[in-house]
Amino acid sequence: PSPDAAPGEVKLWVNLGMDDGMDEAKLPATLESLGAPGGKVIKALTRATYGYVYVPEAEAPGFEALNGKTHGDKALKLERHRPRGQREERRPRHEALPDVPGQARLWVGLGRQEGLDEAGVAAALEAAGAPAGKVLRTDLRPTYAYVFVAEEDVAGFESTHGKSYGENKTLKVERAKRK
């Protein structure tokens, strides 16, 4: 439980804030319009990009049921507030493949969510005009991939940036940045 919630109350974090036109009065009304139990918000606080609502413990499931509903063009997220230090451990970061001299690492905006595997990413790039058979290795992620090519082939791959992929997607290809 959140230390600033009274006994019997739950503090819920919501991904709607002042940037979404919310204030302390509009946030409860917006949640109610999306199906939250009416008149149950005890207190609301808004920040630039998110807000908090305090609700009775018994009503929390009715608010949490709003997860995934849309407000404007945004999928709603509500979750119980977890004070710092009480959050679950994060998964370890995916280790990137090491760089190899003479190879360039390119970021490609295609990943597993498009139903692709390593060969599918290479095929999509080649279909968009990249040099055939020049992908040396691929590090596939859920929403993007790193493609390794010889330095001399980079321009041929970067030329596919901005071309269409599938029905509604524009291909994005650029030299990967180091963190």
Side-chain angles (χ1 to χ4, degrees):
S2 183
D4 59 336
E9 285 181 8
V10 174
K11 182 179 181 181
L12 298 173
W13 175 90
V14 59
N15 69 333
L16 295 176
M18 290 182 279
D19 290 353
D20 301 299
M22 293 295 127
D23 60 24
E24 280 77 12
K26 288 181 184 175
L27 184 56
T30 299
L31 295 176
E32 288 174 18
S33 75
L34 294 169
K40 300 297 182 178
V41 173
I42 298 165
K43 177 169 68 168
L45 301 172
T46 54
R47 305 289 186 262
T49 59
Y50 62 93
Y52 294 109
V53 290
Y54 295 77
V55 300
E57 177 92 40
E59 303 296 336
F63 284 85
E64 292 168 321
L66 298 179
N67 271 314
K69 289 196 174 187
T70 56
H71 174 71
D73 59 352
K74 188 182 231 183
L76 198 60
K77 293 180 190 172
L78 276 109
E79 58 187 45
R80 291 174 188 246
H81 175 67
R82 296 177 311 240
R84 295 221 179 266
Q86 294 183 1
R87 297 180 181 170
E88 64 262 6
E89 277 298 311
R90 292 187 175 173
R91 293 183 310 205
R93 285 193 140 195
H94 180 85
E95 288 300 316
L97 292 175
D99 287 341
V100 174
Q103 291 183 8
R105 184 170 67 121
L106 301 176
W107 181 90
V108 178
L110 299 174
R112 284 190 200 102
Q113 77 179 12
E114 282 82 28
L116 298 175
D117 58 9
E118 286 86 352
V121 171
L125 291 168
E126 290 171 7
K134 297 291 187 169
V135 173
L136 302 172
R137 54 194 177 124
T138 304
D139 184 1
L140 186 64
R141 308 289 177 93
T143 58
Y144 62 93
Y146 290 117
V147 174
F148 294 82
V149 301
E151 280 290 343
E152 58 268 15
D153 295 324
V154 169
F157 283 86
E158 288 179 328
S159 70
T160 63
H161 182 82
K163 295 191 176 176
S164 63
Y165 171 78
E167 291 182 28
N168 300 333
K169 189 161 179 113
T170 300
L171 195 56
K172 295 177 185 165
V173 180
E174 58 189 46
R175 196 175 280 268
K177 297 170 181 68
R178 277 281 167 213
K179 290 195 175 203

